[in-house]
Amino acid sequence: GLVWGYILSPLGSGVLNSVLEALFSVGPVPWLADSSLAQLSVIAVGVWSATGWHAVLYLAYLQSIPADYYEVATIDGASPRQQFWYITLPLLTPAIVISQFLLMTGGLKVYDLPFTLTGGGPGYATYTITQSIIVNGVGQGRYGQASALAVLFTIGVAVLAVAQLRLSRMLQRRMA
């Protein structure tokens, strides 16, 4: 978060603004000072940080698919699109389920990235539920409020996790 804060600094000294100035003569863009751009910046950095791990996950599952399946499908006259829909995608379903679950839970508990990049601002544009629990509850000594928010948040995450697992199981049954 600190490195990306330096890269996306809304001042002219930010790395991205320096590159844009040198290449396109564009003035400083308020990446983290404008509420819409701050939200997009936090999302882009979050996606960038999770992409590598999920790419490795999918690559591992893709490498575990036996080549014999594709050879047999080619002999039977299956097109590459049919091979994807009837071989690759069904065998990638467990990876998709794991990836979705980790992305959902990771997205719900995000605290460090928006706090490091913007502190929840500008205004409350990048303020998250976990940030509210920690900053308002623990940081200001409102332990009862923090506990109540944490319990409600936990219940909400549990409901979403159960719903996501049920949907994932339905998807796995359909793909099988």
Side-chain angles (χ1 to χ4, degrees), residues 39-53:
Q39 288 174 345
L40 290 174
S41 298
V42 169
I43 290 168
V45 172
V47 167
W48 177 85
S49 67
T51 299
W53 196 92

Side-chain angles (χ1 to χ4, degrees), residues 1-162:
L2 294 173
V3 172
W4 278 101
Y6 174 69
I7 293 170
L8 296 171
S9 175
L11 305 174
S13 62
V15 174
L16 186 57
N17 280 331
S18 297
V19 170
L20 289 174
E21 174 66 33
L23 295 178
F24 305 110
S25 299
V26 175
V29 178
W31 298 108
L32 302 175
D34 178 67
S35 60
S36 298
L37 287 175
Q39 288 174 345
L40 290 174
S41 298
V42 169
I43 290 168
V45 172
V47 167
W48 177 85
S49 67
T51 299
W53 196 92
H54 292 276
V56 169
L57 175 72
Y58 286 118
L59 182 62
Y61 270 87
L62 281 170
Q63 289 177 342
S64 71
I65 299 174
D68 299 345
Y69 293 173
Y70 295 106
E71 290 175 19
V72 170
T74 302
I75 291 170
D76 287 344
S79 68
R81 179 176 285 162
Q82 289 171 324
Q83 290 179 14
F84 173 77
W85 283 105
Y86 297 107
I87 297 172
T88 307
L89 194 58
L91 294 175
L92 274 182
T93 304
I96 294 169
V97 169
I98 292 169
S99 180
Q100 283 179 344
F101 188 76
L102 291 174
L103 286 170
M104 183 195 65
T105 56
L108 288 172
K109 68 179 176 127
V110 68
Y111 166 76
D112 55 346
L113 186 62
F115 186 76
T116 306
L117 284 175
T118 64
Y124 289 100
T126 60
Y127 206 67
T128 63
I129 295 171
T130 52
Q131 210 168 341
S132 177
I133 292 169
I134 293 170
V135 172
N136 289 333
V138 178
Q140 296 180 3
R142 299 181 194 160
Y143 301 112
Q145 181 182 6
S147 297
L149 285 171
V151 167
L152 291 174
F153 181 67
T154 303
I155 291 169
V157 169
V159 167
L160 286 174
V162 168

